[in-house]
Amino acid sequence: HGASNASHPVKQALWGITEVFLDTTVMCTCTGLVILLTVGPNSGEDGMALTLSAFQTVFQDKAAVFLSVVSAILAFASMIGWYYYGEKASESLFSGKTGKKVYAFLFLTAAFFGTLMQGETIWEWADVFNLLMAAPNCISVFALRKEVFMVTKAYFDDIRTKKKEKKRI
């Protein structure tokens, strides 16, 4: 979101919050409900196998195709996003093009070896790298909290002022 051309950083942040809400809260809740209402929590399966079993109770053979396509799209979109984040971070931490080249090599190498790993191993590594990205982000958000609250308050005060002026007209 930092690279967007939004008219105001709070406006872009609101889009970011909405995306996370829809993706995490709505979609994960829907998937959880499908699992609970079909195969139940005690099926003995977990992860994608559990999700596939749940969807197969309704969509039979089409469930595997559907989940494969959705998973591939999600994985590809995630890879694009994480590549961009890492590239921008490497530009900041290292000298411009050199950092980009080193990061591109490391990312492509990790992506290649990721295709050879078991799913559980990939998730474990993803958790580690998410922590490595989240920790400095959380520290930065905490350090900038006063500025964030100030800019957010100013943004919503401006909206309220414009609404009041519009009502007068």
Side-chain angles (χ1 to χ4, degrees), residues 52-122:
L52 180 59
S53 291
F55 277 84
Q56 280 178 333
T57 61
V58 177
F59 300 112
Q60 289 82 34
D61 295 337
K62 294 175 184 149
V65 173
F66 172 74
L67 285 178
S68 295
V69 170
V70 169
S71 296
I73 291 169
L74 175 64
F76 186 67
S78 296
M79 287 180 69
I80 291 170
W82 284 110
Y83 180 82
Y84 179 77
Y85 299 150
E87 181 183 76
K88 292 302 169 192
S90 68
E91 283 179 9
S92 298
L93 295 172
F94 309 107
S95 61
K97 290 185 179 185
T98 303
K100 284 173 82 169
K101 288 180 182 178
V102 170
Y103 179 75
F105 174 77
L106 292 173
F107 185 87
L108 292 173
T109 302
F112 172 75
F113 284 111
T115 64
L116 305 175
M117 294 180 180
Q118 294 292 322
E120 289 180 26
T121 306
I122 293 170

Side-chain angles (χ1 to χ4, degrees), residues 10 28 34 38 54-55 62 85 91 96 98-99 107 123 145 166:
V10 173
C28 291
V34 167
T38 55
F55 277 84
K62 294 175 184 149
Y85 299 150
E91 283 179 9
T98 303
F107 185 87
W123 284 115
R145 71 189 180 283
K166 196 174 184 180

